[in-house]
Amino acid sequence: MDGNTRRAGAVADLRRCRHAAAAARLVMQHTTHTLLAGDQAAAFAAEMGLPLGSLETEESRGMHSMWLNQRCQPNFRQQVAPDPRQSCGPYRPLPSSTSTSTSTSSAGDSASGSGGSSSGSAAAAQQGQQQQHARWPTAHAHDTIAMVVVAGGSVAAGASSNGAIHKVPGRVGDAAVPGGGAYADSAVGGCGATGDGDTHLSFLPCYQVVESMRRGLSPQQAAEDAVRRMAQRAPGYTGAVVAVGFDGRHGGAAHGWERTGGQFTYSVASGGSGGRVEVVAVPPLDDL
């Protein structure tokens, strides 16, 4: 994202192209669109001169084989049959999860008229609760790289991610959505995020961080406010944001990393430090 023009470029569900960030920048520079996806995004990348090829490795093939042998665990599906904790599918929605009704029934109605539905609803609720905390991300298994750069009065931000391991095919995470994984405004600053990208898509924390700094919060305060909101509303959330002001001040906030045996850190380098990289350790928020 270019903080001067507020223009952004992104690719999602990108196939056969390892240069995802470069492809995203080409979308910003050479189209009036913001987001391209799937095979068409790969075709655009090739048209712009980026190489395509297989991204499979012996390691990735082995990981996939192991996942299949472990009955496709971990698994991000919920409220489906067969039980995604035990089966690789194919799946179908549980009966109770197909209803879009928002009406409220009395206890008598439920008992007399929807015994099967109530049972299905209970199963769906239990399955959904157990699937909610899929084993992702962890301190040692997350792959979003976000960066904010301040130079010559301009701010730019970007994010790149391979996405949650063993995700449902077609899933798009926060790295490809402006305001989710990254955001920039040269008049204010920028933000980068990592962690639970699906929660980030519900809250757009990087957009919020930049707008909070616009209202006068420091980068540290803005980062803590964004993470606190997500942690309070999304049980089991694991993630972090880094905020950078247009003047180079920075701060970060994180939640949930300690549960997975680690601590969130981010790196800072500047001309003032001669390019020396400082690693900043971020303590977990403890006042939720």
Side-chain angles (χ1 to χ4, degrees), residues 172-190:
V172 174
D174 60 327
V177 177
Y183 200 77
D185 184 337
S186 294
V188 181

Side-chain angles (χ1 to χ4, degrees), residues 41-56:
F44 171 80
E47 184 180 40
M48 293 293 103
L50 296 179
L52 302 184
S54 173
L55 303 183
E56 291 185 5

Side-chain angles (χ1 to χ4, degrees), residues 90-119:
Y91 305 102
R92 63 185 185 279
L94 289 175
S96 61
S97 66
T98 61
S99 172
T100 58
S101 172
T102 58
S103 63
T104 302
S105 301
S106 68
D109 289 339
S110 296
S112 62
S114 57
S117 177
S118 295
S119 174

Side-chain angles (χ1 to χ4, degrees), residues 18-108:
R18 68 175 63 249
H19 304 288
R25 184 174 183 176
L26 289 167
V27 171
M28 182 180 69
Q29 292 175 324
H30 300 291
T31 80
T32 58
H33 302 312
T34 298
L35 173 63
L36 300 180
D39 287 332
Q40 288 78 11
F44 171 80
E47 184 180 40
M48 293 293 103
L50 296 179
L52 302 184
S54 173
L55 303 183
E56 291 185 5
T57 64
E58 288 295 331
E59 181 182 8
S60 69
R61 284 190 288 268
M63 291 172 64
H64 184 246
S65 177
M66 182 181 300
W67 181 69
L68 292 174
N69 291 335
Q70 294 174 343
R71 295 176 295 184
C72 298
Q73 301 303 305
N75 194 306
F76 288 88
R77 299 179 192 266
Q78 62 182 11
Q79 298 184 23
V80 296
D83 189 340
R85 296 165 298 173
Q86 302 291 332
S87 171
C88 292
Y91 305 102
R92 63 185 185 279
L94 289 175
S96 61
S97 66
T98 61
S99 172
T100 58
S101 172
T102 58
S103 63
T104 302
S105 301
S106 68

